[in-house]
Amino acid sequence: MAREKSAAVPLEERVRRAAESYLERQGHVNALEMFCGINLLQWAHVERWQQGRLEYLGEEILGKPEKIRAALTLFRQWGEEKNLPSGEAEYWRQTRNGPVALRVWPLHEADLAFRLQYEAADLPPREKQKLAAVPDPVVFEVLRESKCAECEKEIEPGGMLTLEAEKALCLKCARLDDLEFLPSGDAMVTRRAKKYSARSAVVVRFSRSRGRYERQGLLVERAALERAERERREAQGSR
């Protein structure tokens, strides 16, 4: 069967499908995710915005203003018809000096409309806490030689850097060089190390074959990693 063209599907149906897909998959959905779901916003632009490379994300949303307003209205109607708990999504990016709030639009009223968020009625309290948490900084495992914009240190392929605004920073300049890399793979150690570490960062690498960034692991405090690994060994020894 040929793929259904989005242009042939009414906007109301596209908004509903996108919202319900996110809600089913993760237990919540916000306006920006809905716009990505109906292909009026690309995740690549969201990522650039989260990295501080775009000041306002709203300029990247496709479509005429009337269509964008209509999609927001339909999204609100969908949530109200399903009687879902609503809230205000918080958008952040991490910097060396702490989290910075992100803006979709410069005007408060316009920005507020894009923060509408709906949650599943049975969303566990732990998941609600995650929604309110400030996300970890993102660290990139580089595929080609790079250079830190501040200290000019050469970063070889396989090394790590982070982005602040348009600048690439080595881990030392980003104040992350005291953290230990924990590769993905052991769910128990990852979960506990993240819990015990006061500071952490997500490590990703771009997959050329899939055309997206994929998670490689975490940067966590050494003491947290050692404690998590010790608890794993103790758990295995008690079996």
Side-chain angles (χ1 to χ4, degrees), residues 45 56 61 81 83 92 112 117-118 121 137 140-141 149 152 166-167 184-186 204 211 219-220 231:
H45 291 141
Y56 298 112
I61 299 176
E81 289 170 2
N83 198 29
W92 304 89
L112 193 61
Q117 178 172 270
Y118 289 106
F140 301 88
E141 185 178 320
E152 297 189 346
E166 289 289 344
K167 297 193 302 183
S184 299
D186 191 318
V204 299
L219 293 179
V220 294
E231 290 181 358

Side-chain angles (χ1 to χ4, degrees), residues 35 40 61-73 114:
F35 276 106
L40 293 187
I61 299 176
L62 303 175
K64 296 180 179 180
E66 311 87 72
K67 186 174 185 178
I68 294 173
R69 286 195 295 268
L72 284 170
T73 298
F114 288 81

